[in-house]
Amino acid sequence: MRFPAEPFRIKVVEPLRRVSREERVRHITEAGLNIFAVPADTIYVDLLTDSGTSAMSDNQWAGIMMGDESYAGSRNFYNFQKAVRDIFGYPFVIPTHQGRVAENLLFSTVLKKGDIVPNNIHFDTTRANVQHQGAEAADLVIDEGLDPSSLHPFKGNLDPAKLDRLLTEKKGRVPLVMLTVTNNSGGGQPVSLANIRQVRVVCTKHGVPLFFDACRFAENCYFIQQRESGQANRSIEEIAKELFSYGDGCTMSAKKDGLVNIGGFLAMKNEEWSKAITNLLILIEGFPTYGGLAGRDLEAIARGLREVLSEDYLAFRTGQVAHLGDLLDQAGVPIVKPVGGHAVYIDAKRFLPNIPQSQFPGQALVVALYREYGIRAVEVGSLMFAQPDEKTGEMVYPKLELVRLAVPRRVYTTEHMRYVAESVIELFRDRDKLRGLRVTYEAPVLRHFTARLEELAPEPATR
Ligand code: F0G
């Protein structure tokens, strides 16, 4: 594969501190082996998330200086509204300070207790916001989307037959269908235009609106251009316009494909919903022309949304992530394939077959990556998802035990990716030295953010 070279040059640098292994051991021990609790300036390559971690362009920074901080009617709001209308095509545009607020506003307006929201796979905050209304979140991704070894090019697709069945059986209980592009919880996998058209047909048949969770829409559109027949000669903007034309609205965290550090929005066709949401917005976020953001932030989003449509940028972006995946794959490190748009997911079950899920192999890997190499990844496995069965009390472990290496946009060079690959490969060779973990403290919900753990004593090998 071609070496993905950066389609930008570097004008401002942020020095990285290289700290000693000794210092990292101290920090991770004090943190109770929880990677969320280590100081970020002790990390060399931080792959915790691609959210809010982008580097902005000179054009965006110039826009920041053009911030109009008027309480109402800021010119930046109009630029922002125009960018959203141009690309997404929805007339009513409501700014929020991040994606989950857009979700909360939408769901608290349109959901009631006992409702159901289908999605390919809900992202954690989307699921939590659906459940917060007493509604149920149903994941209807195609079966291939749950199989880490399937090479299906659009593993984010939603199964239209499952959707049709659910809308028939639960008639009147589904106020909207969501579709996450790309499907983050399924590995950053894209959804095809053909699938979106099918989902639209099913939604129309049942008279239910379709909303996109559009966080990574540009990456999704790039995969459509590259992988879907008949799409190769279309621009990303054309594909995006067609994609959103099949929907009735979207929620968006601009912290991803908005190329900014903070921001989000809701956009929709339904005027009545938008009015009700706007009233709520004024109550909890801010006036409708700023929605919890500064004028300068709105300007940076307006510019970021246009920049992210660049094919050169998207080829590099997805190429850099794929390159990291290829380096690991070639060395035999087990990863989820095909590599998604924003992250490489290591299959921790196969990486550490000697550590059972009850001893958190994913988290053991995360801890070792920080301790040995100063790299921060995040566990998406049993620490995050294992829960006792409501009836039997027995622990139920998630099917997938993954470690996510999420790549921030325009922040790290391909040499940084090589450093990460070499480190993971070295750790893979030394994997027999890693030990399982035990939880010593956990919160009742979302325990992975604050849990404390310790390493188990070495045991004689049983295999
Ligand atoms: N939807 C998806 C698909 C997401 O990935 C995220 C955030 C959100 C909604 C919520 O947006 O953070 O702006 O409130 N994902 C981040 C991640 C946190 O690391 O994957 P937010």
Side-chain angles (χ1 to χ4, degrees):
M1 106 158 243
R2 282 175 62 121
F3 187 81
E6 289 74 9
F8 48 79
R9 54 186 178 180
I10 295 164
K11 180 150 35 189
V12 176
V13 294
E14 180 184 355
L16 290 170
R17 199 161 69 93
R18 305 289 306 258
V19 307
S20 65
R21 180 180 189 276
E22 221 179 345
E23 193 179 331
R24 288 194 300 264
V25 167
R26 184 164 59 76
H27 286 298
I28 193 72
T29 308
E30 280 171 10
L33 307 189
N34 188 324
I35 204 69
F36 287 95
V38 299
D41 70 356
T42 65
I43 293 162
Y44 178 52
V45 181
D46 194 350
L47 306 182
L48 181 65
T49 181
D50 65 319
S51 179
T53 52
S54 299
M56 292 202 293
S57 65
D58 50 2
N59 177 50
Q60 285 175 295
W61 279 109
I64 291 271
M65 291 307 293
M66 302 297 287
D68 164 6
E69 304 308 338
S70 306
Y71 186 90
S74 152
R75 66 172 167 256
N76 310 120
F77 171 74
Y78 296 108
N79 294 343
F80 160 80
Q81 186 185 48
K82 185 165 186 319
V84 176
R85 283 180 177 164
D86 284 352
I87 299 163
F88 296 72
Y90 306 129
F92 302 106
V93 181
I94 300 164
T96 62
H97 83 269
Q98 62 181 82
R100 67 197 71 183
V101 187
E103 294 163 3
N104 186 292
L105 289 166
L106 175 67
F107 297 147
S108 50
T109 303
V110 310
L111 294 187
K112 57 181 189 316
K113 215 170 164 212
D115 281 345
I116 301 166
V117 181
N119 201 331
N120 38 6
I121 304 184
H122 289 80
F123 178 67
D124 324 13
T125 61
T126 324
R127 185 184 313 281
N129 272 300
V130 167
Q131 292 169 346
H132 190 59
Q133 302 302 324
E136 196 184 306
D139 294 341
L140 306 182
V141 73
I142 55 169
D143 293 341
E144 291 90 335
L146 296 172
D147 174 1
S149 61
S150 160
L151 291 175
H152 192 293
F154 291 101
K155 284 169 85 171
N157 285 356
L158 188 150
D159 188 327
K162 287 186 197 165
L163 180 65
D164 190 41
R165 212 174 312 131
L166 185 133
L167 291 176
T168 306
E169 285 167 9
K170 312 285 179 181
K171 199 172 166 53
R173 286 177 58 195
V174 181
L176 81 171
V177 171
M178 300 276 309
L179 197 52
T180 307
V181 292
T182 58
N183 185 24
N184 183 11
S185 304
Q189 302 292 333
V191 182
S192 71
L193 271 185
N195 182 252
I196 296 168
R197 284 189 209 108
Q198 288 175 313
V199 168
R200 175 76 249 178
V201 168
V202 177
C203 288
T204 304
K205 175 181 158 195
H206 292 273
V208 176
L210 172 64
F211 269 63
F212 292 98
D213 177 338
C215 296
R216 299 177 180 85
F217 77 97
E219 289 165 11
N220 198 101
C221 290
Y222 185 72
F223 284 126
I224 288 174
Q225 189 203 53
Q226 296 298 307
R227 295 179 185 173
E228 194 161 347
S229 72
Q231 302 299 326
N233 295 321
R234 300 179 74 198
S235 72
I236 301 302
E237 187 168 352
E238 271 177 285
I239 295 170
K241 283 181 176 163
E242 182 182 341
L243 183 153
F244 290 114
S245 77
Y246 299 121
D248 298 283
C250 69
T251 58
M252 171 85 187
S253 166
K255 297 170 75 171
K256 286 82 167 172
D257 274 351
L259 297 177
V260 291
N261 306 118
I262 196 74
F265 58 86
L266 267 160
M268 65 192 71
K269 292 180 179 167
N270 187 324
E271 186 170 9
E272 232 174 276
W273 281 10
S274 95
K275 273 188 182 157
I277 290 169
T278 301
N279 291 335
L280 202 54
L281 182 84
I282 296 171
L283 186 71
I284 63 173
E285 273 281 88
F287 191 72
T289 61
Y290 72 83
L293 293 166
R296 55 177 173 266
D297 297 327
L298 291 166
E299 188 62 38
I301 299 171
R303 295 177 185 216
L305 287 174
R306 295 189 194 277
E307 278 178 21
V308 80
L309 303 173
S310 155
E311 244 166 76
D312 275 350
Y313 159 73
L314 286 167
F316 167 71
R317 161 70 178 157
T318 55
Q320 191 187 43
V321 177
H323 184 60
L324 173 59
D326 284 346
L327 292 174
L328 296 178
D329 189 36
Q330 282 159 15
V333 176
I335 59 167
V336 176
K337 290 194 276 188
V339 171
H342 65 293
V344 175
Y345 292 72
I346 299 172
D347 184 345
K349 261 192 204 172
R350 284 193 285 147
F351 195 108
L352 293 170
N354 293 340
I355 302 181
Q357 270 188 297
S358 58
Q359 295 177 10
F360 309 105
Q363 187 65 14
L365 182 49
V366 166
V367 169
L369 275 174
Y370 171 77
R371 192 181 52 211
E372 305 304 325
Y373 307 103
I375 296 167
R376 176 154 68 173
V378 68
E379 191 249 25
V380 184
S382 40
L383 185 62
M384 198 179 265
F385 296 125
Q387 271 184 342
D389 183 274
E390 275 179 22
K391 288 187 196 115
T392 64
E394 204 176 308
M395 261 305 177
V396 183
Y397 292 97
K399 189 165 170 253
L400 298 177
E401 183 77 25
L402 304 176
V403 168
R404 183 178 82 166
L405 304 166
V407 183
R409 294 168 182 77
R410 307 192 290 205
V411 170
Y412 293 113
T413 64
T414 299
E415 289 301 326
H416 283 114
M417 295 302 107
R418 274 231 319 239
Y419 171 77
V420 172
E422 282 170 8
S423 304
V424 174
I425 292 164
E426 193 173 276
L427 195 63
F428 187 57
R429 289 195 195 111
D430 290 345
R431 63 190 178 276
D432 289 342
K433 291 188 195 145
L434 296 194
R435 286 186 264 147
L437 311 178
R438 185 176 83 82
V439 171
T440 58
Y441 163 78
E442 63 184 10
V445 284
L446 296 172
R447 68 172 173 178
H448 55 284
F449 289 121
T450 53
R452 294 184 65 85
L453 303 98
E454 65 185 19
E455 220 161 40
L456 294 165
E459 274 177 43
T462 48
R463 287 190 334 146

